[in-house]
Structure formats: C-alpha cells, structure tokens
Amino acid sequence: MPQVLASATPRWYSADTSAPPPAALDKATLDKLVRTNKVVVFMKGNPQAPRCGFSNAVVQIMRMHGVQYDAHDVLQNEALRQGIKDYTDWPTIPQVFIDGEFVGGCDILLQLHQSGDLIEELKKVGIVSELLKAEEAKDTAKK
Ligand SMILES: N[C@@H](CCC(=O)N[C@@H](CS)C(=O)NCC(=O)O)C(=O)O
C-alpha cells in the first residue's frame, strides 16, 4: 500500500484476523451473575439507553410490569457477551433470567407477557407485577 494511503487508514480498520477471540467468562462466574437479583437481564446498552431494538423491547416489558432487575451490558464486555451465549447455549442477546433460570430472549419474553404467564412467573418469585396490581384495583373498584 502506498505510504500516503497506509497513513490514511482509519485506526478502527484492521485486516488482522490473527487476533485471538476474547475468552468467555467461566460458568462459576456466570452462575453468580445470573443470581445477583431475582430478575437479571443481559442486554446491549443499559435500561436508560438500550443499544438494540430487542434489548429495548425487554426493557419496555420490564417497565410495564414495574420489575426491578439487574442489567448487564454485554457491549462493555466481550467475554461476558460470549460467555452468556455459551452458558445458555442461546446465540443471541438479550437474555432474561428469573430466579437464576434462563427464560429466553426478547421473543419469548414478549410471548410470556402477552399470554399473562410473565405475571405468574414473577409471582412465583415474590414479585407482584404492576399490571396485576392495576387489574386487581379495577376489580375492586367494580365491586
Ligand atoms: N429473536 C431474538 C432477537 C435477538 C437478536 O437477534 N439479537 C442479535 C442482534 S442484537 C444478537 O444478539 N446477535 C449476536 C450478538 O450480537 O452477539 C430474541 O428473541 O431475542
């Protein structure tokens, strides 16, 4: 490559494919991470600024239910990004855990939300969904 072009190559461009992929986080670390709260979400970005539409959808669903959760931004940590995919054998982000158990990604969470099963899953771990509270308040007002 002529010198002038080489020096004009943007710093983020690299044709170097010999760099090793980042190590994935180990199972023991992830076992702990998925239990830091009753609900844990691995996402792109954070709840205030999701950086992918699927992660944003999960945030919106959690918000509707008024759920407090721990969110881990995989874009800040490549070892976490790969580690969580290996851990669940699930190829994509976001990933949602309830009580340490893998629930699924955005599509599954949306299905659970639409069927009403998310309210039940949350109830099992002692979380009363804001949607359930609103329904109950409506029923009480009718009586
Ligand atoms: N249908 C998936 C959509 C999620 C998805 O396709 N995520 C992609 C793009 S954000 C992904 O994580 N790709 C692998 C990666 O970025 O590491 C779901 O239900 O969560």
Side-chain angles (χ1 to χ4, degrees), residues 44 52 54-55 74 81 85 90-94 104-108:
K44 292 187 179 179
C52 128
F54 303 114
S55 290
V74 302
R81 183 178 184 168
K85 291 191 274 189
W90 187 263
T92 54
I93 306 295
C106 164
D107 295 349
I108 290 176

Side-chain angles (χ1 to χ4, degrees), residues 71-134:
H72 301 284
D73 182 0
V74 302
L75 296 180
Q76 299 295 320
N77 185 337
E78 276 301 318
L80 174 61
R81 183 178 184 168
Q82 189 54 48
I84 197 66
K85 291 191 274 189
D86 293 349
Y87 185 76
T88 52
D89 200 17
W90 187 263
T92 54
I93 306 295
Q95 298 197 12
V96 177
F97 289 76
I98 298 180
D99 209 23
E101 298 292 324
F102 178 52
V103 171
C106 164
D107 295 349
I108 290 176
L109 195 73
L110 188 58
Q111 280 169 19
L112 292 174
H113 165 64
Q114 288 170 340
S115 66
D117 289 344
L118 184 55
I119 288 176
E120 297 307 316
E121 290 305 314
L122 293 171
K123 214 193 279 178
K124 279 185 204 162
V125 299
I127 299 172
V128 183
S129 164
E130 289 298 330
L131 295 182
L132 181 60
K133 285 185 200 165

